[in-house]
Amino acid sequence: MASLTLVHLLLAASILTPTFGRLCTSPSQLRGNTYDYIVVGAGTAGNVIAARLAESGHNDILVLEAGVSNEGVLASQVPLMAPTLTPSTPNLPSICYDAHASGSLADTPYDWNYTVVPQTHLNGRTFPFSRGRILGGSSSVNYMVHHYGSSEDYDRLARITGDSGWAWKNMRPYIDRHERFVPPADGHDTTGQYIPSLHSTRGILPKSLPGFSHAIDSRVIATTQELSAEFPFSPDTGGGNVLGLGWAQSSIGGGTRSSSATTYLNSVINRRNVDVLVNAQVTKLVHTGKIGGKPSFRGVQFASGPQAPTTNAFARKEVILCAGSFGTPQILQLSGIGDRTELTSKSITTIVNNPSVGKNMSDHVLLPNNWLVRGTESLDNLLRDPVAFGAALDQWQASKTGPLANGIPNHLGFFRLPNNSSIFATTPDPASGPKASHWELLVSNFWVNPSLPRPDTGSYLTLTVALISPTSRGTLKLASNNPFQAPLIDPNFLATDFDRYTMRESVRAIKRFTGANAWSDYIIGPVGALAAQTDEGIDAYVRSVSSTIFHPVGTASISPRNAAWGCGGPRVKVEGCGGREDR
């Protein structure tokens, strides 16, 4: 008998070119309609789960992916071409884009092409919310920064769930099994840029330090020395101690993107016990009766599109939902698992009444901040000149080196508000502990702004900030009972005083950062409303530019065992559903 499992892991993967064996494009190619396990979603988490289940050879596994294969998708291999995979304002030469991406904020075949509902606290704006719809999921389309967060985040999760297995010390062995630290693409000496003892070289995911040096790198490091009290240098932000500014670590190996498709899935795809079916969107879970008096869902229904016929498949053991923070709650609700009032309004019969499904959404607010700079040290000319970009692409294809072998930032850091900040007089500190951060800084040597096109002339520095400990909570709701209609995504950004205060103070902090002597002969001035000085002016600027850094969590949250809230207990079994343990 089967049970239903939620998985929200944040693991990505490697560089090997996949050689698919049982990659199917039609249900008729499957070996049957019954497997031991059905994994819904061949994304960041789903491929990890499928690989772990398959490695013993004793389990028969079906992996269903709504999107396309990642084979032959050049932009999913070349790190700096990542922005072309998802809806955004085109900021690279036209040769980087498929025909689908010729216009502003164009949809792409590799993304779900979601948009958020109008955001009340962001001037009513709406904007894209990227989610990968391709083998590897968002690990195939993201910007590849690969960090694990603060150790205190894990320890808080262990406290909340009452399960010590989630604690940092107990998760570390799995991180070691996951990551494989490799030399950067340019082979430079990495002494002092990370702490080798904090990392593994035995895992499946190649990750590396920046593989292309920028002229501003030395300015960044000099700033950490001059302003060490506020922006201390971190020798390694990827080992659980995140505070400070250091060198970025990315899911890039040998100058090529690492994704869960190129590693975890690739490691088992040729096994006879694994079938992977693309273009298979799960429309609902199939209710197959009761186990232990509880509804059981040991089947799935899927189709390739709204006009295509549906197919059912069944699991002897478990159906495992790895459809992400949007897909998982959407599928649960379409299956009759969710808030009874909301389901009834969409003419869906409630099988398991759980008001927590689709609630508690949390995300990191993104704010790109641009400065006009002197000279030609930035990559802006390369990124707007088709000839120069073509030469860089030729270099990448020949040797997997050069500027395109690199990610978006060479440096990033995590910071806290001062302990005496006025906001703490009215708001408890939402961070998981004193060593966890409130906001993040990413440094890029070119124009980065998902909403605004790169200016035709000029060179730019971008300091992107992200809200890391948000207190605003949003929702994921069904727009209708049509599984092919996008859900209503409402992150409810900047709904709280703490979130607005932190974004305002982060803007002030990065202005102090650029006031260091290291930038005096380089920066000309801020672009647009970034020049604002008053609280009101900065708040208006933040509202006009902020969007998302694409890190949604919480919509199918885990909770303590037998809690009155949450979608699953610490073992991520869906509450109210019967499974093998109920027999």
Side-chain angles (χ1 to χ4, degrees), residues 133-155:
R133 196 171 190 265
I134 182 175
L135 287 180
S138 293
S139 75
S140 288
V141 303
N142 66 11
Y143 288 4
M144 294 156 288
V145 173
H146 197 87
H147 288 250
Y148 306 113
S150 170
S151 60
E152 294 177 331
D153 295 341
Y154 296 83
D155 293 341

Side-chain angles (χ1 to χ4, degrees), residues 36-81:
D36 292 325
Y37 294 94
I38 297 175
V39 178
V40 179
T44 307
N47 290 336
V48 178
I49 297 302
R52 296 304 187 222
L53 289 172
E55 62 188 8
S56 71
H58 301 308
N59 297 312
D60 201 24
I61 300 153
L62 171 63
V63 184
L64 297 172
E65 169 54 42
V68 299
S69 171
N70 65 318
E71 287 187 285
V73 180
L74 181 65
S76 191
Q77 302 170 33
V78 184
L80 202 60
M81 289 181 67

Side-chain angles (χ1 to χ4, degrees), residues 120 151 162 222 270 366 403 408 410 447 456 464 472 496 542:
T120 301
S151 60
N270 289 317
L366 171 81
I408 303 297
N410 269 15
W447 177 276
D456 292 336
T464 300
S472 301
T496 65
V542 169

Side-chain angles (χ1 to χ4, degrees), residues 18-19 25 112 117 123 167 184 200 231 235 245-246 298 303 350 371 381 404 409 429-430 490 524 530 535 550 583:
T19 306
T25 56
W112 285 89
V117 302
N123 295 342
S200 169
F231 301 101
L245 180 65
R298 61 187 186 94
T350 301
W371 276 264
N381 286 332
L404 304 191
D429 186 351
D490 184 8
I524 296 173
L530 176 58
D535 285 2
F550 314 121
R583 295 179 61 186

Side-chain angles (χ1 to χ4, degrees), residues 339-415:
D339 186 304
R340 185 187 304 277
T341 301
E342 294 177 5
L343 297 184
T344 300
S345 72
K346 300 297 185 289
S347 300
I348 297 174
T349 300
T350 301
I351 300 175
V352 177
N353 181 30
N354 186 335
S356 293
V357 176
K359 307 302 194 300
N360 193 47
M361 178 181 169
S362 179
D363 188 25
H364 296 154
V365 178
L366 171 81
L367 178 63
N369 305 279
N370 307 115
W371 276 264
L372 182 66
V373 298
R374 295 180 176 87
T376 58
E377 293 180 7
S378 80
L379 287 187
D380 288 291
N381 286 332
L382 169 74
L383 298 178
R384 64 167 67 98
D385 180 355
V387 175
F389 191 93
L393 184 57
D394 288 343
Q395 179 183 356
W396 182 88
Q397 290 176 318
S399 63
K400 303 300 184 289
T401 62
L404 304 191
N406 211 30
I408 303 297
N410 269 15
H411 295 91
L412 58 75
F414 298 89
F415 304 96

Side-chain angles (χ1 to χ4, degrees), residues 520-535:
S520 61
D521 63 344
Y522 186 61
I523 292 177
I524 296 173
V527 174
L530 176 58
Q533 297 295 326
T534 66
D535 285 2

Side-chain angles (χ1 to χ4, degrees), residues 99-371:
H100 63 267
S102 58
S104 177
L105 302 178
D107 291 350
T108 88
Y110 314 118
D111 195 271
W112 285 89
N113 301 310
Y114 292 138
T115 57
V116 300
V117 302
Q119 292 298 286
T120 301
H121 305 285
L122 297 181
N123 295 342
R125 291 185 298 116
T126 185
F127 39 81
F129 203 124
S130 171
R131 296 285 85 193
R133 196 171 190 265
I134 182 175
L135 287 180
S138 293
S139 75
S140 288
V141 303
N142 66 11
Y143 288 4
M144 294 156 288
V145 173
H146 197 87
H147 288 250
Y148 306 113
S150 170
S151 60
E152 294 177 331
D153 295 341
Y154 296 83
D155 293 341
R156 178 166 66 177
L157 184 58
R159 290 195 304 272
I160 290 174
T161 62
D163 187 338
S164 61
W166 293 103
W168 175 253
K169 68 177 181 180
N170 295 320
M171 292 296 292
R172 275 295 324 194
Y174 297 101
I175 293 175
D176 290 345
R177 186 176 177 183
H178 163 69
E179 76 169 7
R180 176 160 56 91
F181 225 95
V182 298
D186 60 2
H188 74 265
D189 183 0
T190 58
T191 302
Q193 296 183 355
Y194 81 119
I195 302 175
S197 62
L198 296 179
H199 297 277
S200 169
T201 58
R202 304 181 304 277
I204 192 170
L205 167 74
K207 62 180 288 189
S208 62
L209 292 162
F212 182 80
S213 296
H214 290 290
I216 66 167
D217 291 347
S218 59
R219 298 180 188 270
V220 174
I221 299 304
T223 304
T224 67
Q225 297 167 349
E226 179 183 347
L227 304 180
S228 58
E230 185 171 11
F231 301 101
F233 176 72
S234 169
D236 195 316
T237 60
N241 182 12
V242 299
L243 297 180
L245 180 65
W247 294 86
Q249 298 171 16
S250 300
S251 51
I252 299 173
T256 301
R257 172 193 291 272
S258 302
S259 78
S260 69
T262 60
T263 51
Y264 287 98
L265 187 62
N266 190 54
S267 71
V268 297
I269 190 65
N270 289 317
R271 292 174 179 247
R272 290 183 295 176
N273 62 327
V274 178
D275 280 356
V276 178
L277 178 62
V278 295
N279 303 313
Q281 181 172 336
V282 170
T283 56
K284 69 175 184 178
L285 305 168
V286 178
H287 181 208
T288 53
K290 291 188 175 183
I291 300 176
K294 301 176 182 178
S296 175
F297 298 81
R298 61 187 186 94
V300 298
Q301 181 184 92
F302 59 92
S304 61
Q307 306 304 320
T310 60
T311 301
N312 288 351
F314 298 92
R316 301 182 189 95
K317 296 180 180 179
E318 291 185 347
V319 172
I320 304 175
L321 271 180
C322 298
S325 293
F326 298 158
T328 290
Q330 182 184 24
I331 292 170
L332 288 174
Q333 291 173 86
L334 289 167
S335 307
I337 304 171
D339 186 304
R340 185 187 304 277
T341 301
E342 294 177 5
L343 297 184
T344 300
S345 72
K346 300 297 185 289
S347 300
I348 297 174
T349 300
T350 301
I351 300 175
V352 177
N353 181 30
N354 186 335
S356 293
V357 176
K359 307 302 194 300
N360 193 47
M361 178 181 169
S362 179
D363 188 25
H364 296 154
V365 178
L366 171 81
L367 178 63
N369 305 279
N370 307 115
W371 276 264

